[in-house]
Amino acid sequence: MSVKFKNVGHIYSPDSPFEYVALHDVNLELPLHKMVAIVGNTGSGKSTLVQHLNALLKPTSGEVHINDRIIVADEKPRNLKSLRKVVGLVFQFPEYQLFEETILRDIAFGPKNFGISEEEAEARARMAIKQVGLDESYLMRSPFDLSGGQKRRVAIAGILAMDPEIIVLDEPTAGLDPQGAKQMMQLFADLKNKHNKTIYIVTHDMEHVLNYCDEVVVMKDGRMIHQSNVEDFFAEGELLNDLHIAPPAIIKVKQMLKERGFKLSKANDFDTLVKDIVKEVRK
Amino acid sequence: MKNIALGRYIPLNTPFHRLDPRAKIDAMFLMLIAIFIPAGFIGYGIIGVAVVACIYLAGLKFDFIVKAMKPMMFMLVFLLVVNAMVIKDGVALVTLGSFSIYSGAIIQTLYITVRLMLMVMITTLLTATTKPLDLTLGIECLLAPFKKIGVPAHEIAMMISIALRFIPTLIEETDRIIKAQTSRGVDLDEGSLKEKIMAVLSLIVPLFVSAFQKAEDLANAMESRGYAPGATRTRYKVLKWTTSDTLLIVGTIVVIILNVGVWKLL
Amino acid sequence: MTKIIELQDVVFSYDENTPALRGTNLYINKGEYTTIIGHNGSGKSTVAKLIMGLLEAEYGKILVDGLEMNIDNVYEIRSKIGIVFQNPDNQFIGSTVRDDIAFGLENHQIPQQDMDDLINTYASKVGMINYLDHEPTKLSGGQKQRVAIAGVLAMHPDIIILDEATSMLDPLGREEINSLVHEIHEKNDMTIISITHDIEEVAMSDRVIVLDKGKVRMEGKPEDVLKRESELVSMNLDVPFGYKLSKALKAQGIAVHEDILIEEVVNELCQLNSKM
């Protein structure tokens, strides 16, 4: 059981004036039951990459392996629904996919499409709305009466109710305030830790990468240029500079102190940093 | 979805691109009139030669034009079926039991197909070689005489230019919504009628919501930058009529005269 | 300090049940870089729209550069202010960069023969001179926001409002826009109002206003406001990392000041380290 990209290339509108190579020969293995951050700037191919995970896009060359499914270029895959039930994909600004009269029906829409009975789908909707931090009283309201942040939660509940094993999120915290973003990230962390889900998350927020993710994949110009655990990623000063990534404040402080002769341990948590500084200054 | 060709501007710098939009719009209308002169296939031949010459001048690839015509395929098939059932002229070509398809039906369908092809070619020629903003400027100029009778020429032009500007954005948005709902198990190809209705609703409602949001944002942005409906504005783009523009109009009129000749004489 | 913008007892609600501003009083000093923070729904963006006259206050007074906002003044007031909104796509009006910058010039009735020069000048100022004929779909979010800034600058406003202008951008775009805005502020003495969630940006600004449930809860210099931890936390807002760190170190008996900027904390620590 794993998620693998083998020599995956993707070309949009091949053989037309608008031809555009979005992925070049990507080889990648993503771990399960972990939270993996996919980072990179606009046009780096990260959105194209994640859309291969539930076969919304098919590789124009190479293979994508998801559990026992293999999506091969030039071959029409069958029964994609079974794959999309396993891999739930939450697009950027998912609040724009709400359409039903009530929140209950909107959340139950996904599960019902995958053949879950009406009662079961509604039971799942009741679970999912609580998971995203809203209470059941919301279920009979119209999704269009909610605030932006609440709409986003409902949209995510719509994917959770499908009970996918792998949840892929494209910039789920974009446009939320810091508090709302933190709650959202905590939700994903709970899904991973308590429900054993696999989370792949496209994000620009390095604080989130540091505090919640296990691994980092870096995309640039359609290529995968780095994959490592979070600690090693933030140790790559040159890479961060090259990507114009502003590291989280704690990493920045550590870098500055190290440059000026401080000896600090590798762990990136606040208490260790304070302890290390105290030790150094009192030395 | 993203490689839709109909109505798309192709940024090139050819003599045809440089023509005055007013000339191109006028020529388009004249050509559309020419198409409705009943000069048969010969007439269409004349128009066809002129249009293909212009396409060549405009540096457009032929497969781009073909792509622009793709959306009509369904309509043409439908037309063929209707014609086959209604038109009973000419020789019977195929007979299935008591039902026959006559040559008249085929010819009639072909005739309309060619007519539609020419119309799409002509309009594509205009939209592919004229920047949306120039196009609206042209429309505005041509509508100017009607201002006196209360036609809000400028507002109409502004609406069209914004609609054109937002087509690519809305296509992207549609693409995104389709993918988002597909991820939720929506299947546009299969399922019962009820499921299909739900599938379509799941696309249309979000698209409207997002379009209204965009409209509101855009209105704010326009007002913030000093736009007031009805107020006097200066113009950045100034249209210049050149000899080539006159030539285009003359050429188009020649095509019309030839077609009228064919209609009256043959 | 001259107050260039003042809101006095302003009340506004989008619908009956949800008042957005409940008697808000605030002011902006001329030439300062002011940040406005508060969580979503605190009324930040409403303030911006009221100042632009895009919304009409139900009660209270809005003064911009000595003019009181009303139906006769609204166009004159708007000509003093440029605003960059959150969504890069929804504020790009022209079909190309060139046309988009021209849109505002046309509204301000700039003579046609002057437009090309102005477009070139301001497109170079924001580093978009090589993209004049690009369509918006071919530009990144950061580039679109730069074009929006060029469009604003070309109209010579006294005030620029950034309404979460970088929140939808990638790190590169964010960096570009932030440094561009700082440059504009320093070179032209322009008044900048930035509505933001970025606490580090707030730490760098001249003055900060904290909004909560449609009221100003705190205001003043960032180095004072950002140290009021319990109040910030009660409004679900962050404290800057520099402050957290210096406070924790102080609690451990290290002789550092409670600073909000990381750089200052690090400098102090280095001095301490070398003295030992």
Side-chain angles (χ1 to χ4, degrees), chain A residues 173-189:
Chain A
T173 61
L176 296 182
D177 56 29
Q179 190 63 23
K182 254 186 223 162
Q183 289 169 353
M184 197 69 87
M185 291 306 296
Q186 194 52 52
L187 162 69
F188 305 141

Side-chain angles (χ1 to χ4, degrees), chain C residues 92-246:
Chain C
F92 203 106
I93 299 151
S95 328
T96 61
V97 171
R98 191 191 289 283
D99 294 332
D100 193 62
I101 300 175
F103 177 78
L105 300 176
E106 294 176 323
N107 295 334
H108 284 240
Q109 299 179 45
I110 307 291
Q112 195 264 338
Q113 62 270 23
D114 301 343
M115 285 191 191
D116 267 319
D117 278 347
L118 284 169
I119 291 170
N120 289 335
T121 311
Y122 291 102
S124 349
K125 276 205 173 149
V126 301
M128 291 297 288
I129 190 76
N130 295 325
Y131 298 86
L132 281 179
D133 291 307
H134 277 56
E135 295 168 53
T137 39
K138 291 211 184 97
L139 303 174
S140 71
Q143 289 174 326
K144 280 180 219 171
Q145 293 301 62
R146 280 196 270 159
V147 175
I149 293 175
V152 160
L153 288 178
M155 291 175 339
H156 296 290
D158 303 317
I159 305 158
I160 295 183
I161 304 177
L162 302 152
D163 188 358
E164 297 189 39
T166 60
S167 68
M168 284 171 72
L169 305 182
D170 62 14
L172 178 62
R174 205 167 284 198
E175 189 185 295
E176 283 170 3
I177 299 299
N178 281 337
S179 62
L180 180 63
V181 172
H182 275 99
E183 194 191 311
I184 291 166
H185 172 60
E186 279 155 27
K187 274 196 192 156
N188 310 294
D189 266 337
M190 189 101 66
T191 307
I192 308 273
I193 305 170
S194 175
I195 295 168
T196 183
H197 288 308
D198 184 352
I199 210 77
E200 307 299 330
E201 186 192 342
V202 177
M204 307 272 287
S205 65
D206 297 321
R207 190 161 157 268
V208 55
I209 298 172
V210 186
L211 282 179
D212 184 48
K213 300 192 185 93
K215 285 217 158 206
V216 174
R217 283 276 295 268
M218 295 191 241
E219 55 111 3
K221 289 198 161 132
E223 50 268 43
D224 302 328
V225 171
L226 294 181
K227 287 177 186 166
R228 288 152 72 179
E229 193 172 359
S230 59
E231 283 169 86
L232 288 169
V233 169
S234 78
M235 284 180 273
N236 288 331
L237 295 170
D238 277 332
V239 231
F241 186 79
Y243 177 71
K244 262 189 233 169
L245 182 63
S246 53

Side-chain angles (χ1 to χ4, degrees), chain A residues 177-212:
Chain A
D177 56 29
Q179 190 63 23
K182 254 186 223 162
Q183 289 169 353
M184 197 69 87
M185 291 306 296
Q186 194 52 52
L187 162 69
F188 305 141
D190 286 348
L191 287 169
K192 182 194 83 175
N193 296 332
K194 295 183 190 153
H195 301 272
N196 213 17
K197 302 283 184 196
T198 301
I199 314 269
Y200 301 146
I201 181 166
V202 173
T203 182
H204 291 313
D205 194 316
M206 292 304 131
E207 299 281 350
H208 293 166
V209 174
L210 178 68
N211 293 327
Y212 300 97

